[in-house]
Amino acid sequence: MAVTTFLNYKEYLAEGISTRFCIPFLLLDRADLNVMIDSQLVVSGYTITGLGNPSGEIIFDEPPKGILLLQRTISLLRETDYQENGDLLAETLNRDFDRLYLAMQGVSQNISQSLRVPDPEGVPILPLSNERANKLLSFDSLGQPELVEANSGSAMELAQQLKNCDSQNKGGGLIGYNDLLSYPTKTIGCAMSSLTKRFDEFEGNSVPLFAVFWWPSRESIPAGYVAADGQELSQGIFPDAFEAIKQAKVPVVSELDWKNNSVKRGAYVANSSDGMFRVPDYNGMYTDSIGALFLRGDNGSVSNGEIQKDAIRNITGTVSQASSYSPTGAFYAGTGAGYTAANYTSGTITEMDVSRVVPVANENRPVNICGCWVIKLFSSVINTASANIQQIVTENAKLATRLSVLEGAKATSRFTIIYPNEGTEENPANVINNKYYEMDNPFPGYHVICIAELLINGNWGDPGWIMIYATAGGSYGVKASMLNIDKIIVRTGSARITGTPTDTGAAHSNGTPIVTTAPCRVKIWRVV
């Protein structure tokens, strides 16, 4: 077939409606057509008809939208091989010559898109690419091409710098940004660095380890932070925090002190158990904690990390002894009848009610809103993946809080039984009347509540206490109490160690014998 047109491309504005477009030039093979939509090559989703005809058609599966370019592009390959003494068919020969002319049309189009000169001698070859880099193409007095440097301060020099992003003083610093570069002042890069730093600070990336913040809800603690609930955390998961705790960058106490003394729970523990460290309990979540805390300055007189128990300023008042009864402050005149000290005649009862002066509750506190104290424990992670590792670590810390509270409630002992006179649980020793027994407090440093019990008729029970003033009387019973804060004292009645239950209030049943000796034990509860 004769090649009768130089046309080898066609451009359409596809509006996403039609699926069929004309190919107004000869096309021999499907592979000879390049299909572009908005400069993007499309290799599937269409069929081509009319191969070998002066025109054909392309049919899309879905209506295209954008600038549609259909262009014939023939590779310069000779695929037909004529055999010696073989048949020379017109169809084969015409197709082969058509392909040559179509390929030459493509080359001609490419040439028309290049710079050309009419001089028969042509122009010299340009230098290699490394010699041409950042140079301008110019022409000398003979019209021959040459490479020149851009004049300083010229528009050409600026254009070259804007294209160069290898330096903070060129494209990257003038119109772009690379966070690895240090930009000079008064450039876009410098401004971007400042903004990026502010965003990083806002997101917490520059917040130092152990910084403490109040957060509105423990259900939405941000990544990088953990609740300050006194929980144990893994030294391996938080290596930077653990290393700083080991170096005492924060207040640190031993695990024994932390558990046995509630005022020490504002501090960290470096090695609370194997591979673990402990954070402070600012939220009052740990077993037998003092309570949720307010944070304040140390005033130079309080050890950092040590909790101060609640206290209030003294509340005072006066009661006048003059004839005109006028109490002040927390005292006021009650409505009931009283008596004067001089003659027991009718007078006025003096009563005290602190709520007349200050608001009252079961704790001392300022006006407040509740939330959750959180601690910054990390900023980045050692390994990354498709999951949000920072948030996973924070959620792990929240679970550790709950586990620590449960384990603390189980492990922290607040009750025990001791046996006076060197007795044991297996072999409780007897106590006798009119004696004094002294033992160490099983909860050093803590106040305790004590109840003595006797083993009578196979039953343990409180023997009670009573004073008999009759002839040959005396005290009946056994009493346990705390001396100072380090000793437990057991005293027995001068006459008997128990008496009739209806008289002494003993727990044993009526008919219990009145005895002067029996096995004894003391139940002890620790008080925070």
Side-chain angles (χ1 to χ4, degrees), residues 185-408:
T185 58
K186 297 183 179 180
T187 63
I188 294 177
C190 179
M192 289 294 294
S193 290
S194 177
L195 288 174
T196 301
K197 181 179 179 181
R198 293 182 183 180
F199 278 119
D200 286 345
E201 291 175 351
F202 177 78
E203 294 174 354
N205 293 334
S206 65
V207 175
L209 287 180
F210 308 114
V212 179
F213 293 93
W214 180 89
W215 195 252
S217 171
R218 66 172 52 248
E219 301 304 321
S220 60
I221 296 174
Y225 295 81
V226 301
D229 291 340
Q231 71 272 34
E232 287 187 291
L233 297 174
S234 168
Q235 297 169 356
I237 293 179
F238 304 93
D240 294 338
F242 171 59
E243 188 63 31
I245 294 171
K246 283 200 307 181
Q247 297 174 15
K249 297 291 182 66
V250 289
V252 179
V253 297
S254 69
E255 176 73 356
L256 184 63
D257 282 346
W258 200 98
K259 282 190 171 181
N260 289 340
N261 191 346
S262 57
V263 302
K264 300 291 187 181
R265 294 180 185 171
Y268 292 79
V269 179
N271 293 286
S272 55
S273 60
D274 187 24
M276 307 293 282
F277 68 90
R278 191 181 294 280
V279 298
D281 183 20
Y282 299 149
N283 292 309
M285 293 290 290
Y286 196 81
T287 303
D288 66 27
S289 68
I290 292 175
L293 304 177
F294 293 91
L295 305 186
R296 54 162 287 179
D298 59 14
N299 197 32
S301 61
V302 181
S303 298
N304 291 157
E306 186 168 304
I307 299 172
Q308 286 186 300
K309 293 185 177 181
D310 61 335
I312 62 173
R313 291 189 294 269
N314 192 20
I315 300 174
T316 63
T318 61
V319 177
S320 173
Q321 297 181 357
S323 58
S324 175
Y325 184 77
S326 56
T328 64
F331 294 105
Y332 69 100
T335 57
Y339 300 91
T340 63
N343 54 19
Y344 297 98
T345 59
S346 177
T348 301
I349 294 176
T350 299
E351 298 182 7
M352 179 177 178
D353 185 352
V354 178
S355 67
R356 294 167 57 85
V357 181
V358 294
V360 297
N362 60 355
E363 62 179 356
N364 294 311
R365 61 173 182 260
V367 176
N368 67 86
I369 183 172
C370 292
C372 178
W373 289 115
V374 296
I375 303 172
K376 179 75 172 181
L377 278 194
F378 69 98
S379 296
S380 59
V381 293
I382 296 175
N383 60 314
T384 59
S386 59
N388 187 336
I389 302 298
Q390 287 187 329
Q391 193 61 47
I392 290 174
V393 174
T394 294
E395 293 299 321
N396 177 74
K398 289 168 63 177
L399 293 176
T401 292
R402 298 179 182 180
L403 180 61
S404 182
V405 170
L406 292 174
E407 290 178 341

